[in-house]
Amino acid sequence: MGWRACISKWKDDRDGMAGTEFVERNRMAKVNFVGPGGGSQSIEIDDGISVMEGAVMGGIDGIDADCGGQLSCATCHVHVDSAWLSRLAPVGGDEDDLLDYAVGRDERSRLSCQIIMTPELDGLVLHVPETQH
Ligand code: FES
């Protein structure tokens, strides 16, 4: 089963929707992950799920997501490419607090579990830090 099918099945299980219904209703947007060494991986992530969920299911290295998106670990930390910063929703208060525990936090830091995919984010570029711990 490919990762897209995996995500569809996971969404089916979570939402109780039929697989074909889900695939027809949801659109996908491309996200580019640039690794610490400069190499990049691109995956498509369904609208409505978090970048972290898509990254984990898409096998992106360096997104640990130890808490599974419960906003309690900061191991889904990414640096948003400068060109995309203003297009994201602002950092929430809880996210901002937790980012203090992220390794290498800077002004481009976000928790990828708090970035929800929308069609407007197609082409998003994120830099994965060297370490999450
Ligand atoms: S996955 Fe734990 S804070 Fe994002």
Side-chain angles (χ1 to χ4, degrees):
M1 179 185 307
W3 76 267
R4 180 178 179 183
C6 261
I7 290 174
S8 297
K9 180 170 183 335
W10 172 77
K11 286 282 287 181
D12 293 346
D13 292 344
R14 192 176 75 171
D15 300 340
M17 299 187 319
T20 50
E21 216 179 302
F22 172 78
V23 169
E24 287 170 11
R25 278 184 7 157
N26 286 275
R27 296 173 34 188
M28 305 182 93
K30 185 156 88 171
V31 179
N32 305 296
F33 293 88
V34 181
S40 66
Q41 290 178 271
S42 297
I43 61 171
E44 290 188 326
I45 301 177
D46 286 307
D47 293 347
I49 72 168
S50 74
V51 167
M52 176 281 286
E53 291 168 312
V56 168
M57 284 184 266
I60 299 297
D61 292 334
I63 306 292
D64 296 349
D66 292 343
C67 77
Q70 298 302 306
L71 199 53
S72 61
C73 73
T75 62
C76 62
H77 177 218
V78 292
H79 294 110
V80 178
D81 194 86
S82 301
W84 283 90
L85 268 177
S86 63
R87 299 195 228 177
L88 297 182
V91 177
D94 291 342
E95 180 183 2
D96 190 37
D97 291 344
L98 191 56
L99 275 168
D100 287 339
Y101 297 93
V103 178
R105 180 184 185 170
D106 66 19
E107 69 285 350
R108 299 175 302 131
S109 291
R110 293 297 303 263
L111 297 177
S112 59
C113 68
Q114 301 303 301
I115 303 172
I116 305 302
M117 288 306 299
T118 64
E120 293 74 28
L121 295 182
D122 186 37
L124 176 65
V125 179
L126 301 171
H127 299 264
V128 179
E130 202 162 311
T131 182
Q132 298 283 1
H133 297 276

